[in-house]
Amino acid sequence: MARRGEVEALATQIRELQCNVNKLHQELASMRAEIVSTVLNGFTELRSDNTALRQDLNGSISSGFAEQRGLLGRLGERLNQEQADAQTALREVESLHRKAAEARVAELEAQQRPAPERRAENHEPARSTAEAGEPQPANGGESGYAGLLALAAGVAYTEITCHRDTWAFLVERAAQTEHFRLPAGVDEANDGTIEADLSGRTLIAVLDALWHTTHDATLGHGTRALAARVYDRISQSLHDLQPTDDGEQAVTRIVIDNRPPKAPPADGTPDPEPTTD
């Protein structure tokens, strides 16, 4: 009987152990299912995040490429505009050179003709101009005008001296042209005259404005006469430019003033310095 009781006790323990093992198996299966579900959910979330990141990256790249394409397009348009401007400037320079060459050829041909013929050609327009009463510059022809522009284009800068009213007239006329640039500094003396340095480009603008003013029949006689006189003085200064003896660069000096220079004292002594009480 004792053994029988022990066997039954052992059987009971075995059954309990079997139940515990079954419960353990169930818990392991449940844990395995939870782990698998967690892993699968994590992979799904990672795929979603990866897809979203990829879409954002593709959108950023596409937007960046679009901006770059727009920038390159604008740069291309700017380069095309610069090229067109350069070609226009080149054509203008070629036109000036061509006109200067034609003027030079005409001048050489005129020099090769007999003197009586040249005198007849030079005086006849003067008579017709005097009869018409129209003020015209001495070098007012198309060839002389083009040649003068070519001379001005080759000048780095020129010094001009004139009355401030004459200067105001030049600025008023030349400011309407393409190449005029107002000088940085204009010095005014006590007698009402001014001195300024004009670049070759500004000198072209002044000559162009004066030439067209002189030939504009709608303007008054005084306006055209003033323009013709200043034009002639600039032309004379450009044609009289000579190399200097000291090797320095020659500077064209334009003086628009018919007053004779101040005579020195009779005894040759300088004027006394002004004194103050």
Side-chain angles (χ1 to χ4, degrees), residues 173-208:
R173 290 292 165 180
Q176 305 173 18
T177 62
E178 175 184 2
H179 298 290
F180 181 76
R181 296 293 183 273
L182 192 66
V186 178
D187 300 327
E188 183 172 354
N190 294 331
D191 60 353
T193 59
I194 63 95
E195 291 184 358
D197 292 341
L198 305 183
S199 65
R201 183 178 182 184
T202 300
L203 191 59
I204 288 176
V206 171
L207 288 170
D208 182 61

Side-chain angles (χ1 to χ4, degrees), residues 57-132:
L57 182 60
N58 290 334
S60 299
I61 293 175
S62 300
S63 177
F65 280 146
E67 292 179 359
Q68 293 296 327
R69 283 194 294 269
L71 180 59
L72 289 175
R74 290 192 295 272
L75 288 176
E77 294 176 356
R78 181 67 179 273
L79 289 175
N80 292 334
Q81 182 62 38
E82 293 292 340
Q83 183 179 6
D85 294 342
Q87 291 176 350
T88 301
L90 181 60
R91 285 194 295 270
E92 291 179 356
V93 172
E94 291 177 348
S95 176
L96 286 175
H97 282 297
R98 184 173 59 255
K99 291 180 179 179
E102 293 174 354
R104 183 59 178 167
V105 170
E107 183 179 353
L108 292 175
E109 291 177 351
Q111 292 176 356
Q112 293 175 357
R113 284 197 288 268
E117 183 179 352
R118 291 201 304 270
R119 285 197 298 270
E121 291 180 356
N122 292 335
H123 286 89
E124 185 172 353
R127 289 195 302 271
S128 61
T129 300
E131 291 172 0

Side-chain angles (χ1 to χ4, degrees), residues 199-258:
S199 65
R201 183 178 182 184
T202 300
L203 191 59
I204 288 176
V206 171
L207 288 170
D208 182 61
L210 293 175
W211 191 85
H212 285 90
T213 300
T214 304
H215 291 79
D216 189 351
T218 63
L219 298 176
H221 184 84
T223 300
R224 286 178 289 158
L226 177 58
R229 182 56 179 157
V230 177
Y231 182 95
D232 286 343
R233 187 59 59 88
I234 297 175
S235 173
Q236 180 183 357
S237 299
L238 288 175
H239 284 96
D240 291 345
L241 185 62
Q242 298 293 334
T244 60
D245 296 333
D246 55 5
E248 298 293 333
Q249 292 288 342
V251 177
T252 304
R253 290 180 172 83
I254 303 168
V255 179
I256 306 172
D257 191 351
N258 286 338

Side-chain angles (χ1 to χ4, degrees), residues 2 4 7 26-27 45 101 105 130 132 143 145 149 153 161 167 183 203 206 220 222 256 262 268-269 277:
R4 191 173 186 179
V7 170
Q26 292 176 355
E27 291 178 357
E45 292 178 358
V105 170
S143 60
Y145 165 66
L149 290 182
T161 301
W167 173 248
L203 191 59
V206 171
I256 306 172
K262 183 178 180 181
T269 59
D277 296 336

